Amino acid sequence: MSRFPSLQLHPGRSLGFLILGASLHDVLSRLKAQPHLYPTIDVSYSPTQPLVAPIILTLPANGFRLRFDGPDQRLRLIEILDFGKTQLGYKNIDLVKLPEESTTTAAAPSQHGPIFRHVYNRLMGPTFPGEYLAPNDPTGDQTGLYVLSYPGIAFTFPLQHSSWSPDADFVSLLSSTAAGPAKSLAIFHGASWHEARKDLFTRPCPHPRSLALSMKGKEYQPDEIELAVIFGGGVVELGRRSSSPFRIVLGETTPQDLVAELGPPDAIYRKNDHRLSIHKLRRREPRASHGSYGASPAKSEDLFDTDHSSAHTTTDDSDAEEDTDQRDDDPSQSTAKCFYNYFHHGFDIFISYPSGPSPPFPTANALAQPPTTNRAMDRLVATKVILHGNVPGSYPFNRHRRSQWIIDPDVAGTSNILDSETSFTTLSNELRNLWKGSYGSNHAEKATQNAIVLDRDWGDSPGSSYEVLEGWEDGEQTQKRGSSTQEGSEPPQKCQGQRRSMSVRRLLPTTWQSTLHLPRSTLPPKQASKLDQQAYLKRCTLDLYKSQWQTRKDKPEFVLHDGPPFANGPLHIGHALNKILKDITCRFQLALGKRINFVPGWDCHGLPIEIKALGQAPERTTEPLQIRKAAKSLATAAIAQQKASFWQWGIMADWEHPWKTMDLNFELRQLEVFSTMVKKGLIQRRLKPVYWSPSSRTALAEAEVEYRDDHKSTAAYVKYPMQFRVNDQVSTIGLVVWTTTPWTLPANKAIAVNSNLEYWHIKSPKHGHVIIAQTALPEAKDYLGEGYEIVQMIHGSYLATKNYLDPVGMIKKAKPRPILHADFVSPSLGTGLVHIAPGHGMDDYDLCLKHGITPFTPVDDAGCFSNLALPHRRHEALNGKPVLDQGTEAVLELFDSVGALIKRDVFVHKYPYDWRTKQPLIIRATEQWFADVGQIQAEALESLKAVNFVPESGKDRLMSFVANRKEWCISRQRAWGVPIPALYTSSGKALLTAESVDHIITKVKSRGIAAWWSDEDTDPEWVAPSIRARYPKSIYRRGKDTMDVWFDSGTSWTQMAEDGNSAPADVYLEGTDQHRGWFQSSLLTYIARHDHQSRAPFRRLVTHGFVLDSAGRKMSKSVGNVISPGEIIDGTLLPGGKDGKHEAMGADALRLWVAMSDYTSDVRVSPAVLQTVHIQLKKYRNTFKFTLGVLQDFEGPPTMKPEALGSAHRMALLQLGHTFRLVHTYYSEGNYSKALSEINRYVVKDLSGFYIESVRDVLYLDQGEVRRQAQFTMLIIHQCLQTMLGPITPLLIEEVWDHSPGYVKTSYPHPLQIVWADHQKGLDVFHDAHLALDMPILSKALAGINSAQEKARRKDLMGSGVNCSVLLQVQADDGEGPDVMSCFDRHRSELAGMFAVSVVELDGTGVGPGHGWAGERMASEEFDVEGVKVTAHVHKPSKAKCIRCWRFLAPPEAPKDAALCERCETVIEQLSLTRPELFEPLAEAATAG
């Protein structure tokens, strides 16, 4: 383990956790908390000159110093004085590599500084010339300091004074032996040290004081570049993901601008550095101008054979060999020229000194050349931008992100959109026409390279690269690189294609692509039009559900019971998470061959809907019928709105037959469940404390309550008088109680003590004689004051036999009240004496019930005191006042007026709130209807043992809720709901029997539920005839209470068919909050309805978390972090284009976000997350576009035997089979994020990284049976990939099917209806145990070859993989390990394709290559295969590059523009017979040559 602490540099911001702008106090606190890392701290300052002499905090053991400004003590400057004492890094690259272990002799500090080339090449890049500080005594062999400054950071390098010259190039100077490693560095806020030091300690500090407010040192991450807009005139605008666009102006934008806006480059290369062939001038022999094809202007750099992999293997502090064959550049300037490589943004930027201005587009609409006031000729600026394409067929470029760009049509004046998706031919012709008027002659056109240069093409595919140049480059510069032009000939130019001479006929220059089988598909690169999307939606939802319901009647049925959403408004992102999870579950079960039964439902009753309906009504009403009419209308409209949204998300369900809790059929079944519970004696009416919502004026169940931890209550210490004998004299003593609800004091009925506690009689100078618990003494002085004395100890059991009096005479001639023992009295809270109000507390009620004390509740429905609060004494003091504010104050004033108030204060604590209105609740005793669920608790808990919970933690959570619930308050005082079918006599006595309820149900069937409110209150028809006969004089009125909405939705299982032997639903799936809501109410009502049946209504119970923003906060309109599903579908959360329009992402993006999230915990969503979703969805689309493209001409056979396929194909099917089985397992477990992760891994690594690269040549270049094998394999992959993605992205699969070739549609079933097992059986046929043993060997060989190739690339010896031949040398083994040589030999003919090289040879003897198959060795890599040593030798190819397939297999003596390998030669010969139109006669070829 390293002995050095590790810190990351952040220029202009921080060193690790030390952030500029943090206060001295915060910094010292952090440092002192880690004495093992920061053992010595030295602080000094000047109190007389705080601005001139800042506070200096030195850490000598760590080698750095911190400077704070005096007045505000804010960190302004961080200085590293010794690089050998702390491991410093920038962008995870070490400044200096320090030893891992402690040494006895520490190296001198100067030996540990970073050298200039390391800073310049790998860390910070080019900068302006710095500042040289001469030594105090410039005579003799003295050393000065050179300050190299960047924005926010500066380095000082020691430099021999004798070597210094103001005219010397500082790059060369600091790279020489005259300069040493950096002695120190400084981190500051400013553009440069020269400017920042002037007022570093006096200007306002832009950063926060607290470390907690400064992102805790989180590293800055620049925005992803989404689109580059080319305006011409050297202007390129980079559109970013979440921040404003950044405009590059060639000749003006500095390297510091680039680093500040885009972050440090991924790599830096000198202009003539050959580590990347992308910037290498390829020497060509002069050729006739008609030897090239295409319409792009000529240029001298060949960008075909490139490889960006070396960007990640740059050697530390290495400096590429400077090109000695320079043109006429100034040597001092050429050293500074370099490329900034932003591979992950998709472009390179050339840094050099400016030349001439860039020409605008030759159109009337072109932008005027920007002013050149900032164009300084003596500083480094951006002079070229290269936007990379994704070239099909070029493996190295496919590994890196391509740029998306567009030429501004208004500026260019083109009628067609020219962008990164435009084919090369169209692009070339448009640009040729655009610039054709700018040349004086054809010679000038071919000799000059325009300011926008089209480069790199593969057939007619999109994905070309563009270069945006600062000025004009002369194509004839190629001659100065060593090639010459014959007199009278035209200068050489960049060839976008080659030609090949043949003995009889010659291929036309522009038709090379016609000899290739390039993928062509009608699948669009972006989401289909809205019209097409609607058609796909209908097919994959409504049509698919109907089809499977009709055609799978004999198949096993899968039932997912829908937890109903409230029908009260638009849907939110939580609804999307829930419903899409259900849909993915159903679609996977459909893929298993089952018949899906998924009927959506809606919860239509309840307070939220009623309140919203009343708020929208033109006039306020309390009439139940009007309220019910308005609520039903609102619910109906909300259902229509929500149904449309659900359908737009691609939810497959029975949308034509949903169930709704306001439907009469549902309400009747609900009443029948209620009737059964009445018959079992489970429904009772009692006066009991319940949660009461003054804002809603109704009782609430526990499931409708939420808690806030920041509620503020007025707490008070008050005393109740008690007659007590002291020294044989009876006197009054105060019982001190502490309460957080002073408004309940008028309802006091008793005081509780704990008989097991000891209490103290105390004499207080201020409050007289009082009693508190012994455990309350430490806090007594806070409310009794100082100077009290203890009189005597009193045992709690003695107090529990006494009575006390009303202190303020609230009730005239009130009887003494008892002191009772209660176990819940805690010795650690309050005074040890508890005020008991049975009308306002659950524990209070239970205690008083045991002693025959009835509840007293002087509070009305609105939460205000009634006139019962003070019936005989100034009742106006309390009457009508809200208990939670004015009422509390009034009660405390009454106690204070008689000296009974000891102290009051504010108490912050957890408090219940109405989950709908978000207003505080009170506990209030009212007559309510309760379900006695304690009677069925044991059966309910037993039933859960057989349920499968996802996640497993949900089981304990639900069982805990059920075990702790004895009663369920099911009555609500609202109009919009199902009535509790109770009748009441004139005296208020309730009638609720099985007989009365069943009669009411028959009336509801005939009259409708609304008649309960519309008929006369005392209509005798609602009373059972037998009851009327028994009590002919009794008059009954119907009750107005309605059932709890959880009872409504909890009985929704009645909408499912039951066979009596198993649970009606396979799956219930809802949010984790439903453990205390719908899950519980469904379980309890189901158990209550079914006799002696310990079975839950669900076999599997799945819960998901809540949706949070990127910071982990709940979605809130007040916070402004709400993300709607529509914003995701429309793409408006991602950066828009130049015109402000956003690319629609579609419903599949919303679904993909759900699938990639681990729903078992809280799920986060943000633009950054959605950008990942967008990219992944594009990856799927591009993959299908490729597979469709290579299958367009496939006509069978529908199956092939395994032995008929080559090794690469069988390996691909083995990989597919493994992934297919694993994804099936994850889907079955409900682990959709893992399933998607495995699909992504397969697409990137196995499919794109291995198989497509292995067979791309075969698919593009070969003919006949060989190519059909690859197509057949690709067809199986295509079909299985659709099946795996079908549950998640059904719209994309539907669209892919729409663009599938006719052969696929007629030979295979629809991918959304195919049965998973059918694919699995097909894949099992291709399982090969022997090949499975070979695959790890071949995989290790590929990794070894890649490592050897990387070594060669670091030596600048090769580019792409085909630029080499490989020798695999196997050491003779002892027979115990695998037979590696036999493995290689079995696949010998396909190794070159698998490894993406030109030639692979085998050697088991150690002799080496022979027969001239390869050139000199470039690099080697030894690796181990289960104990067998294998060496991969990478050699230069001995043959020429084939101009058709690019592999080095052509005869070495063949001309470069006519070199064909044997395979391509054969194909060309065949094509000359089958497609003669591609060729021209020999005479024409001779003339052309």
Side-chain angles (χ1 to χ4, degrees):
M1 182 177 179
S2 176
R3 65 187 177 92
F4 303 97
S6 179
L7 295 173
Q8 285 286 317
L9 296 172
H10 303 278
R13 199 165 64 83
S14 68
L15 172 66
F17 64 90
L18 302 171
I19 294 97
L20 294 175
S23 69
L24 177 64
H25 173 76
D26 281 343
V27 172
L28 282 173
S29 298
R30 292 289 292 270
L31 294 174
K32 290 179 179 179
Q34 304 177 74
H36 59 292
L37 294 178
Y38 307 99
T40 307
I41 300 175
D42 181 17
V43 181
S44 62
Y45 65 99
S46 170
T48 59
Q49 293 181 303
L51 295 180
V52 177
I55 298 174
I56 300 174
L57 192 157
T58 305
L59 295 110
N62 305 91
F64 54 86
R65 180 170 61 194
L66 312 175
R67 301 200 186 197
F68 300 76
D69 62 346
D72 202 21
Q73 298 182 357
R74 309 272 292 278
L75 181 58
R76 296 302 187 98
L77 180 64
I78 303 171
E79 298 169 282
I80 308 300
L81 305 179
D82 187 345
F83 292 95
K85 293 182 177 180
T86 300
Q87 189 71 55
L88 302 174
Y90 176 68
K91 290 292 181 182
N92 295 319
I93 299 176
D94 291 336
L95 263 70
V96 180
K97 194 66 176 178
L98 298 178
E100 290 295 319
E101 298 296 336
S102 178
T103 58
T104 56
T105 303
S110 61
Q111 297 176 350
H112 285 301
I115 64 173
F116 169 76
R117 300 306 298 197
H118 182 57
V119 174
Y120 194 77
N121 282 5
R122 297 200 65 199
L123 298 179
M124 302 292 173
T127 182
F128 300 116
E131 179 183 14
Y132 177 70
L133 305 177
N136 294 330
D137 180 12
T139 62
D141 188 15
Q142 298 294 324
T143 300
L145 291 177
Y146 192 95
V147 181
L148 190 70
S149 180
Y150 295 85
I153 191 168
F155 297 79
T156 58
F157 293 89
L159 182 65
Q160 292 180 5
H161 183 68
S162 59
S163 301
W164 166 250
S165 170
D167 299 326
D169 171 44
F170 79 98
V171 175
S172 301
L173 195 60
L174 293 179
S175 301
S176 68
T177 58
K183 293 187 65 175
S184 63
L185 70 79
I187 302 172
F188 54 92
H189 184 76
S192 69
W193 176 245
H194 178 73
E195 294 295 326
R197 65 185 178 186
K198 299 175 183 177
D199 56 349
L200 188 63
F201 300 100
T202 57
R203 66 173 178 268
C205 188
H207 294 300
R209 289 180 55 88
S210 172
L211 293 173
L213 300 178
S214 48
M215 299 180 64
K216 299 181 180 179
K218 182 178 178 182
E219 188 170 319
Y220 167 71
Q221 293 292 337
D223 255 356
E224 190 73 46
I225 302 302
E226 297 293 339
L227 181 68
V229 182
I230 301 168
F231 290 104
V235 178
V236 181
E237 186 174 272
L238 304 178
R240 295 185 276 197
R241 176 185 299 168
S242 58
S243 53
S244 59
F246 169 53
R247 180 166 287 195
I248 296 177
V249 179
L250 299 180
E252 296 184 14
T253 301
T254 66
Q256 286 69 39
D257 296 333
L258 298 175
V259 172
E261 293 287 345
L262 306 177
D266 296 294
I268 300 175
Y269 298 94
R270 304 271 75 75
K271 179 183 179 185
N272 298 309
D273 186 348
H274 294 276
R275 282 176 288 182
L276 266 190
S277 57
I278 186 171
H279 304 306
K280 181 170 64 178
L281 295 176
R282 181 175 297 270
R283 294 168 173 81
R284 296 182 180 274
E285 293 300 324
R287 64 187 69 172
S289 61
H290 57 260
S292 65
Y293 79 97
S296 70
K299 73 184 288 290
S300 58
E301 295 183 7
D302 183 359
L303 305 187
F304 272 97
D305 299 320
T306 62
D307 194 303
H308 278 178
S309 58
S310 57
H312 304 288
T313 57
T314 307
T315 55
D316 192 8
D317 299 313
S318 62
D319 191 28
E321 200 175 279
E322 297 293 342
D323 196 317
T324 56
D325 191 12
Q326 298 277 351
R327 304 201 309 270
D328 53 358
D329 293 328
D330 183 345
S332 67
Q333 295 186 1
S334 63
T335 58
K337 295 182 179 180
C338 65
F339 282 95
Y340 271 22
N341 298 105
Y342 287 96
F343 294 138
H344 298 288
H345 285 320
F347 52 78
D348 292 355
I349 301 175
F350 184 54
I351 306 298
S352 67
Y353 292 93
S355 56
S358 302
F361 282 105
T363 63
N365 297 330
L367 294 176
Q369 178 67 32
T372 58
T373 55
N374 295 326
R375 187 181 295 272
M377 305 303 289
D378 59 346
R379 66 175 182 176
L380 295 171
V381 291
T383 56
K384 179 189 293 187
V385 178
I386 300 178
L387 306 170
H388 292 311
N390 192 15
V391 185
S394 174
Y395 173 70
F397 274 92
N398 278 341
R399 289 183 295 175
H400 295 278
R401 186 178 184 276
R402 63 177 288 189
S403 293
Q404 294 195 41
W405 50 262
I406 186 172
I407 298 177
D408 188 281
D410 296 331
V411 175
T414 57
S415 57
N416 297 323
I417 297 297
L418 303 181
D419 60 12
S420 47
E421 303 300 327
T422 307
S423 68
F424 172 78
T425 303
T426 302
L427 213 52
S428 177
N429 291 336
E430 287 281 350
L431 291 178
R432 189 185 184 99
N433 292 333
L434 181 65
W435 289 93
K436 64 183 179 181
S438 302
Y439 305 104
S441 63
N442 290 337
H443 176 84
E445 178 182 358
K446 294 173 181 177
T448 306
Q449 190 177 56
N450 284 328
I452 296 182
V453 180
L454 176 64
D455 189 27
R456 196 181 297 118
D457 167 57
W458 179 270
D460 197 32
S461 63
S464 301
S465 288
Y466 269 69
E467 290 192 17
V468 183
L469 308 180
E470 182 195 10
W472 299 81
E473 291 190 9
D474 187 358
E476 296 184 6
Q477 64 182 332
T478 327
Q479 277 74 60
K480 299 179 182 179
R481 300 285 301 175
S483 59
S484 59
T485 306
Q486 296 179 0
E487 186 176 352
S489 65
E490 295 182 355
Q493 50 220 267
K494 168 73 179 174
C495 292
Q496 296 294 342
Q498 291 81 21
R499 58 182 181 173
R500 184 187 186 290
S501 298
M502 298 177 62
S503 58
V504 179
R505 308 180 70 86
R506 174 179 169 222
L507 192 66
L508 292 174
T510 58
T511 56
W512 275 112
Q513 61 182 348
S514 301
T515 74
L516 308 177
H517 298 285
L518 296 176
R520 290 183 174 85
S521 169
T522 58
L523 182 69
K526 298 182 180 180
Q527 182 182 258
S529 66
K530 288 187 177 181
L531 187 62
D532 287 339
Q533 283 287 305
Q534 294 304 304
Y536 298 145
L537 266 172
K538 182 176 180 295
R539 278 156 41 182
C540 72
T541 54
L542 300 176
D543 295 350
L544 180 58
Y545 189 88
K546 288 181 181 178
S547 173
Q548 62 91 30
W549 189 252
Q550 295 169 0
T551 59
R552 296 189 178 184
K553 293 181 180 180
D554 59 337
K555 302 298 181 183
E557 193 168 292
F558 175 81
V559 181
L560 193 153
H561 187 49
D562 193 24
F566 271 110
N568 66 334
L571 300 175
H572 53 70
I573 193 72
H575 290 113
L577 175 66
N578 176 261
K579 219 69 164 189
I580 291 172
L581 284 173
K582 294 175 181 176
D583 188 65
I584 293 174
T585 302
C586 287
R587 288 182 184 273
F588 173 66
Q589 295 296 326
L590 180 69
L592 295 183
K594 296 181 182 179
R595 188 187 194 211
I596 305 303
N597 183 341
F598 180 35
V599 182
W602 272 274
D603 201 344
C604 308
H605 293 135
L607 180 65
I609 298 172
E610 181 175 336
I611 291 177
K612 189 171 184 178
L614 289 174
Q616 295 178 359
E619 294 182 2
R620 187 77 176 180
T621 179
T622 58
E623 174 59 39
L625 285 176
Q626 294 298 322
I627 294 173
R628 291 179 61 83
K629 181 179 178 180
K632 184 173 184 178
S633 175
L634 184 145
T636 302
I639 289 173
Q641 181 188 30
Q642 291 183 7
K643 184 190 293 187
S645 296
F646 283 137
W647 183 69
Q648 289 291 335
W649 301 345
I651 308 300
M652 178 191 68
D654 188 357
W655 293 111
E656 295 180 356
H657 307 96
W659 55 266
K660 302 182 285 292
T661 60
M662 65 181 180
D663 289 343
L664 180 61
N665 177 65
F666 188 101
E667 293 170 330
L668 287 170
R669 294 189 183 188
Q670 178 179 336
L671 288 170
E672 289 169 357
V673 174
F674 184 85
S675 176
T676 301
M677 296 177 70
V678 171
K679 293 172 185 176
K680 291 184 176 183
L682 298 177
I683 306 298
Q684 302 169 2
R685 183 172 176 84
R686 289 202 299 270
L687 175 65
K688 185 178 178 181
V690 294
Y691 286 114
W692 185 269
S693 173
S695 57
S696 302
R697 299 199 176 195
T698 185
L700 298 180
E702 177 67 32
E704 298 171 297
V705 177
E706 64 182 20
Y707 291 87
R708 282 181 51 177
D709 294 325
D710 59 349
H711 181 81
K712 293 181 179 180
S713 294
T714 299
Y717 291 91
V718 299
K719 61 181 180 179
Y720 281 87
M722 180 183 76
Q723 298 298 316
F724 192 74
R725 183 177 293 275
V726 179
N727 297 327
D728 295 328
Q729 293 184 359
V730 177
S731 61
T732 301
I733 191 171
L735 301 174
V736 180
V737 299
W738 177 72
T739 178
T740 59
T741 54
W743 60 269
T744 63
L745 293 175
N748 175 267
K749 286 286 188 177
I751 287 178
V753 297
N754 192 317
S755 297
N756 298 317
L757 296 181
E758 293 181 346
Y759 292 81
W760 290 108
H761 171 192
I762 295 175
K763 182 179 180 181
S764 167
K766 186 176 181 181
H767 300 289
H769 292 268
V770 295
I771 293 177
I772 62 173
Q774 181 186 13
T775 55
L777 278 176
E779 289 80 30
K781 63 180 181 180
D782 292 340
Y783 50 89
L784 295 180
E786 300 286 351
Y788 64 81
E789 60 180 271
I790 297 175
V791 178
Q792 62 179 323
M793 186 272 288
I794 306 173
H795 203 275
S797 59
Y798 174 78
L799 289 176
T801 63
K802 300 300 179 181
N803 297 317
Y804 67 96
L805 301 174
D806 175 14
V808 294
M810 292 187 175
I811 299 177
K812 189 175 182 180
K813 297 181 180 180
K815 296 180 180 180
R817 300 171 189 172
I819 302 175
L820 306 174
H821 162 75
D823 291 331
F824 59 75
V825 175
S826 170
S828 60
L829 185 65
T831 65
L833 297 97
V834 178
H835 142 66
I836 301 297
H840 297 294
M842 308 293 190
D843 291 335
D844 302 28
Y845 172 81
D846 291 336
L847 177 64
C848 290
L849 187 64
K850 294 178 183 179
H851 295 274
I853 302 173
T854 58
F856 174 54
T857 310
V859 179
D860 62 17
D861 291 355
C864 299
F865 281 120
S866 68
N867 57 12
L868 296 177
L870 287 174
H872 300 290
R873 183 178 182 272
R874 295 183 297 165
H875 61 80
E876 71 280 356
L878 298 180
N879 189 28
K881 294 184 178 180
V883 298
L884 290 177
D885 39 61
Q886 298 174 30
T888 294
E889 294 297 321
V891 169
L892 292 178
E893 287 177 7
L894 283 174
F895 272 75
D896 193 29
S897 66
V898 295
L901 177 62
I902 295 176
K903 183 184 178 181
R904 58 180 292 170
D905 55 21
V906 176
F907 182 64
V908 180
H909 61 130
K910 188 176 182 179
Y911 195 84
Y913 274 66
D914 186 330
W915 73 328
R916 298 301 182 189
T917 64
K918 308 301 180 184
Q919 296 300 313
L921 303 178
I922 61 174
I923 294 177
R924 174 177 178 245
T926 60
E927 283 196 310
Q928 300 291 338
W929 291 100
F930 294 87
D932 185 3
V933 295
Q935 294 186 40
I936 58 173
Q937 185 182 79
E939 291 179 71
L941 292 171
E942 181 65 26
S943 71
L944 294 178
K945 295 179 180 179
V947 175
N948 173 241
F949 285 82
V950 178
E952 184 64 28
S953 60
K955 183 174 185 177
D956 292 337
R957 181 175 170 83
L958 181 55
M959 293 187 76
S960 174
F961 279 120
V962 174
N964 292 322
R965 190 174 198 178
K966 303 298 182 183
E967 290 184 326
W968 174 8
C969 179
I970 61 171
S971 54
R972 298 292 180 272
Q973 290 66 53
R974 310 304 301 182
W976 179 232
V978 177
I980 291 181
L983 303 172
Y984 297 87
T985 65
S986 57
S987 63
K989 184 179 180 180
L991 173 65
L992 185 74
T993 64
E995 183 183 14
S996 68
V997 172
D998 288 345
H999 176 75
I1000 290 172
I1001 291 175
T1002 61
K1003 290 301 176 182
V1004 171
K1005 288 181 181 178
S1006 60
R1007 298 191 181 193
I1009 200 77
W1012 182 264
W1013 283 272
S1014 62
D1015 289 357
E1016 289 291 333
D1017 284 352
T1018 58
D1019 187 343
E1021 288 298 314
W1022 290 93
V1023 183
S1026 58
I1027 296 176
R1028 292 202 304 267
R1030 289 197 300 270
Y1031 309 103
K1033 294 183 178 180
S1034 297
I1035 298 176
Y1036 294 93
R1037 61 176 178 82
R1038 297 185 305 282
K1040 301 305 180 184
D1041 289 349
T1042 55
M1043 293 190 199
D1044 178 12
V1045 290
W1046 292 117
F1047 199 99
D1048 290 15
S1049 59
T1051 56
S1052 62
W1053 48 262
T1054 60
Q1055 304 303 300
M1056 297 181 287
E1058 295 188 74
D1059 59 10
N1061 298 317
S1062 61
D1066 291 283
V1067 173
Y1068 271 37
L1069 192 159
E1070 295 299 327
T1072 186
D1073 58 330
Q1074 296 307 319
H1075 286 113
R1076 62 201 296 264
W1078 187 59
F1079 293 154
Q1080 193 177 164
S1081 64
S1082 297
L1083 174 67
L1084 295 175
T1085 56
Y1086 187 80
I1087 295 294
R1089 173 67 184 271
H1090 296 82
D1091 293 327
H1092 308 295
Q1093 175 180 293
S1094 296
R1095 182 172 64 241
F1098 35 77
R1099 281 188 283 275
R1100 190 178 203 183
L1101 194 145
V1102 183
T1103 53
H1104 60 77
F1106 298 103
V1107 181
L1108 310 176
D1109 67 7
S1110 59
R1113 300 172 299 180
K1114 291 184 179 181
M1115 298 288 175
S1116 170
K1117 290 182 179 179
S1118 61
V1119 177
N1121 63 345
V1122 175
I1123 292 177
S1124 71
E1127 289 177 302
I1128 298 177
I1129 293 174
D1130 297 340
T1132 52
L1133 292 174
L1134 300 183
K1138 176 177 175 292
D1139 56 359
K1141 295 182 179 179
H1142 298 268
E1143 178 184 349
M1145 296 170 65
D1148 279 341
L1150 182 65
R1151 299 174 63 90
L1152 193 60
W1153 162 72
V1154 171
M1156 70 185 293
S1157 304
D1158 179 6
Y1159 64 82
T1160 59
S1161 58
D1162 289 340
V1163 175
R1164 300 196 180 195
V1165 63
S1166 66
V1169 172
L1170 296 176
Q1171 182 64 33
T1172 302
V1173 170
H1174 188 43
I1175 292 172
Q1176 193 60 54
L1177 198 55
K1178 281 190 173 183
K1179 176 66 175 176
Y1180 297 150
R1181 178 176 289 274
N1182 290 336
T1183 300
F1184 283 127
K1185 187 173 179 65
F1186 177 82
T1187 56
L1188 287 174
V1190 300
L1191 293 173
Q1192 285 300 319
D1193 60 343
F1194 183 65
E1195 297 179 354
T1199 185
M1200 286 186 177
K1201 294 182 179 180
E1203 56 268 21
L1205 298 178
S1207 299
H1209 311 312
R1210 290 183 288 121
M1211 288 175 65
L1213 294 177
L1214 268 177
Q1215 291 173 329
L1216 176 64
H1218 172 75
T1219 295
F1220 203 70
R1221 285 188 292 272
L1222 196 55
V1223 170
H1224 179 279
T1225 300
Y1226 289 142
Y1227 269 130
S1228 300
E1229 296 170 349
N1231 201 334
Y1232 305 135
S1233 61
K1234 280 192 175 181
L1236 188 64
S1237 178
E1238 175 60 22
I1239 294 171
N1240 293 342
R1241 185 208 63 78
Y1242 170 77
V1243 170
V1244 173
K1245 184 176 180 182
D1246 294 345
L1247 180 56
S1248 299
F1250 167 70
Y1251 185 62
I1252 290 179
E1253 293 306 318
S1254 297
V1255 300
R1256 193 188 298 274
D1257 271 10
V1258 174
L1259 290 169
Y1260 289 4
L1261 303 164
D1262 277 315
Q1263 307 280 348
E1265 183 65 18
V1266 176
R1267 184 168 181 269
R1268 276 195 295 273
Q1269 290 182 25
Q1271 286 181 298
F1272 170 75
T1273 306
M1274 197 63 74
L1275 175 61
I1276 296 178
I1277 293 172
H1278 175 79
Q1279 292 292 96
C1280 289
L1281 187 57
Q1282 287 185 102
T1283 300
M1284 290 189 289
L1285 284 172
I1288 298 173
T1289 59
L1291 276 81
L1292 175 61
I1293 303 307
E1294 196 68 61
E1295 186 178 359
V1296 169
W1297 177 256
D1298 199 40
H1299 291 271
S1300 295
Y1303 173 80
V1304 174
K1305 289 184 176 180
T1306 56
S1307 303
Y1308 297 91
H1310 193 288
L1312 295 181
Q1313 298 184 24
I1314 197 167
V1315 177
W1316 196 286
D1318 294 342
H1319 275 322
Q1320 192 62 65
K1321 290 176 183 177
L1323 290 172
D1324 289 344
V1325 172
F1326 295 96
H1327 182 74
D1328 186 335
H1330 296 291
L1331 183 60
L1333 294 175
D1334 287 349
M1335 286 176 63
I1337 299 175
L1338 297 171
S1339 177
K1340 288 187 177 181
L1342 176 58
I1345 292 171
N1346 288 340
S1347 296
Q1349 289 175 334
E1350 287 300 317
K1351 290 181 179 179
R1353 290 189 183 101
R1354 287 197 291 268
K1355 298 175 184 177
D1356 302 326
L1357 297 177
M1358 67 170 288
S1360 63
V1362 295
N1363 289 0
C1364 71
S1365 298
V1366 173
L1367 172 68
L1368 290 174
Q1369 199 169 58
V1370 183
Q1371 178 183 348
D1373 59 66
D1374 54 9
E1376 295 182 1
D1379 192 348
V1380 177
M1381 179 56 74
S1382 296
C1383 170
F1384 290 154
D1385 201 48
R1386 281 192 293 273
H1387 309 286
R1388 178 189 290 266
S1389 62
E1390 298 185 54
L1391 292 180
M1394 288 184 193
F1395 302 152
V1397 298
S1398 289
V1399 178
V1400 174
E1401 286 291 332
L1402 305 177
D1403 177 33
T1405 64
V1407 175
H1411 309 294
W1413 65 272
E1416 64 177 287
R1417 181 184 299 174
M1418 296 184 286
S1420 299
E1421 177 73 17
E1422 185 180 281
F1423 55 95
D1424 181 87
V1425 181
E1426 297 183 27
V1428 179
K1429 289 186 178 180
V1430 182
T1431 305
H1433 301 286
V1434 174
H1435 293 257
K1436 288 185 177 180
S1438 62
K1439 295 188 177 182
K1441 181 178 179 180
C1442 175
I1443 61 175
R1444 182 170 180 267
C1445 69
W1446 294 1
R1447 291 185 181 270
F1448 287 80
L1449 298 172
E1453 67 276 4
K1456 288 185 178 181
D1457 63 345
L1460 283 176
C1461 65
E1462 183 178 349
R1463 173 184 60 176
C1464 293
E1465 183 83 41
T1466 302
V1467 173
I1468 294 302
E1469 293 288 355
Q1470 292 173 354
L1471 287 174
S1472 68
L1473 301 175
T1474 58
R1475 299 188 63 188
E1477 71 276 6
L1478 300 179
F1479 300 87
E1480 59 183 343
L1482 179 61
E1484 297 178 12
T1487 303

